[in-house]
Amino acid sequence: MINFIYAHIKELISQSSSIVVTSHHNPDGDAIGSILAMTALLRKTGKEAVAMVPNDYPAFLKWLPGSKKVIIYRSNEQMADDIISRADLIFCLDYNALHRTNEMEGALRKATGKKILIDHHLEPVLDDFDYYLSVIQISSTSELVYRFVEGCSWLDLIDQEIASELFVGIMTDTGSFSFSCNYPSTFQIAAALISTGINPEQIHRLVYDTYSENRLRLLGYCLSEKLTILPEFSTAYIALSKAELDRFHHQVGDTEGIVNYALSIENIKLAVLLTERKDRIRLSFRSKGDLSVNMFAREYFNGGGHNNAAGGDSFLSLDDTILRLKEALVQYRDIITRSSF
């Protein structure tokens, strides 16, 4: 069945003249890595293809080959709308529902081009797409793109540029191969990418060892002043107001990974990072073992994601969102208590 899907999508590509490769709002390493790799691969097959994301992405990903050609929808909506409307084919990578593209959703819903989902998140909204390749057991969308390329017999098209983009996607979505990577195939694919001649140590440094002074000071502030432990719920959270973010000259990507420090505490099963944005409170959830933050985020904060990593939104104030979180934890207490890690 899966080989049939590969063949069918390959045929759709051959019949298309204009292709857009999209990803979700607040794109991360897997989002950027997968769309850059897919776009480069499509161009190697002779197709006109562009990569597009709703809003800007972290500076530590902007060294990637092809990143300068990514279209930021928020920066030029009129041009982006025109590109989407003219596309015969629209790849939807690393998101499971069109609403996850935020401001780009309207243009995508109006588009006449066929939409192809390639993603690994739980509970995809399949009615949003014409075709889908959704496998939740996969470490990352970048790994799924590699498998798609393999299924299309295009592995010879993977050069060092594409390999580095896919490697970044897999590396960042597994926390440097520390979670969501229990299958040998993930490491076999990483090895195959390294065999193209890329330098994994350098790639790791470029992603993880390029913090600004402000970002590091923000991390220190979070851990020393903002970390709250709720031992009765085996939970830790960090809440940052917009004023606090502004104090440290917050840039896109500066809070990435902070929630994992809260999760690293002994006997903590659930960690939450709350950040005040312009129009909402963004919540990032992480958990250990069989405790599902996907279910928690869906039930209480209009979100979702993976079993151990999810996101959600609140349109209350920051203080009221914290109260809402604590109320949700009371209701979720038995599930937290029964979970193992």
Side-chain angles (χ1 to χ4, degrees):
M1 179 63 180
I2 196 99
N3 289 330
F4 171 78
I5 295 172
Y6 293 149
H8 193 60
I9 295 175
K10 187 177 182 180
E11 180 63 23
L12 288 171
I13 292 170
S14 71
Q15 296 170 358
S16 300
S17 57
S18 179
I19 304 173
V20 180
V21 185
T22 68
S23 196
H24 55 78
H25 183 74
N26 291 338
D28 56 10
D30 191 26
I32 296 300
S34 62
I35 66 168
L36 289 179
M38 178 64 81
T39 303
L41 282 158
L42 291 169
R43 288 173 178 162
K44 281 197 162 195
T45 69
K47 296 299 175 181
E48 175 189 330
V50 297
M52 185 182 297
V53 290
N55 61 330
D56 204 3
Y57 54 95
F60 58 77
L61 297 172
K62 292 188 175 179
W63 61 270
L64 282 166
S67 62
K68 289 182 174 59
K69 296 180 181 179
V70 175
I71 295 171
I72 309 297
Y73 184 88
R74 182 178 289 177
S75 300
N76 199 331
E77 289 190 20
Q78 186 173 353
M79 179 188 74
D81 283 344
D82 182 60
I83 291 171
I84 291 172
S85 68
R86 289 189 292 105
D88 324 285
L89 203 58
I90 301 170
F91 278 93
C92 305
L93 304 188
D94 202 39
Y95 60 95
N96 59 0
L98 289 181
H99 70 79
R100 292 207 60 221
T101 63
N102 206 327
E103 56 261 68
M104 209 158 71
E105 178 184 0
L108 289 173
R109 290 199 182 279
K110 288 188 289 186
T112 57
K114 298 293 185 184
K115 300 178 189 70
I116 299 174
L117 170 71
I118 300 181
D119 180 55
H120 68 132
H121 291 89
L122 296 168
E123 302 176 34
V125 181
L126 298 181
D127 288 344
D128 281 356
F129 310 98
D130 298 291
Y131 305 93
Y132 54 88
L133 183 58
S134 175
V135 186
I136 64 173
Q137 296 86 1
I138 298 294
S139 72
S140 56
T141 296
S142 293
E143 179 178 339
L144 203 48
V145 168
Y146 181 93
R147 289 173 179 244
F148 169 72
V149 173
E150 183 178 39
C152 291
S153 301
W154 284 344
L155 285 180
D156 60 313
L157 298 181
I158 296 182
D159 55 16
Q160 289 186 15
E161 171 183 329
I162 293 168
S164 65
E165 291 159 348
L166 292 176
F167 189 85
V168 163
I170 297 170
M171 178 184 73
T172 55
D173 237 34
T174 59
S176 297
F177 302 94
S178 64
F179 53 78
S180 299
C181 55
N182 285 331
Y183 297 99
S185 57
T186 302
F187 295 92
Q188 291 162 355
I189 289 171
L193 296 173
I194 293 170
S195 72
T196 66
I198 63 172
N199 185 334
E201 293 181 10
Q202 181 186 41
I203 289 172
H204 191 277
R205 284 195 299 272
L206 289 169
V207 172
Y208 292 111
D209 297 338
T210 54
Y211 280 27
S212 66
E213 179 184 345
N214 285 323
R215 182 179 177 184
L216 200 60
R217 291 189 182 278
L218 173 61
L219 172 61
Y221 176 72
C222 288
L223 299 180
S224 64
E225 305 295 330
K226 302 298 294 183
L227 178 65
T228 300
I229 308 296
L230 302 174
E232 66 273 31
F233 303 115
S234 301
T235 295
Y237 73 85
I238 295 168
L240 293 168
S241 68
K242 188 175 185 304
E244 288 170 320
L245 292 170
D246 289 344
R247 173 183 163 188
F248 291 94
H249 306 285
H250 173 261
Q251 300 295 315
V252 175
D254 279 358
T255 57
E256 191 162 321
I258 289 177
V259 67
N260 295 320
Y261 286 91
L263 188 65
S264 69
I265 299 170
E266 186 178 12
N267 296 322
I268 292 299
K269 297 181 179 181
L270 172 63
V272 189
L273 173 67
L274 304 92
T275 52
E276 185 178 25
R277 307 291 176 86
K278 181 179 179 181
D279 60 345
R280 70 191 66 198
I281 306 301
R282 183 65 182 166
L283 298 97
S284 296
F285 303 96
R286 297 294 185 271
S287 66
K288 295 173 182 173
D290 58 7
L291 178 61
S292 174
V293 285
N294 173 67
M295 186 168 65
F296 186 80
R298 280 183 179 274
E299 186 165 351
Y300 299 106
F301 293 102
N302 307 302
H306 305 288
N307 277 326
N308 297 119
D313 292 309
S314 167
F315 297 93
L316 303 172
S317 69
L318 181 58
D319 287 342
D320 286 344
T321 300
I322 292 171
L323 289 175
R324 172 64 174 152
L325 172 64
K326 291 178 179 178
E327 291 168 356
L329 289 170
V330 171
Q331 299 174 42
Y332 216 63
R333 186 201 300 262
D334 288 345
I335 294 174
I336 296 173
T337 300
R338 291 195 305 269
S339 67
S340 60
F341 61 99

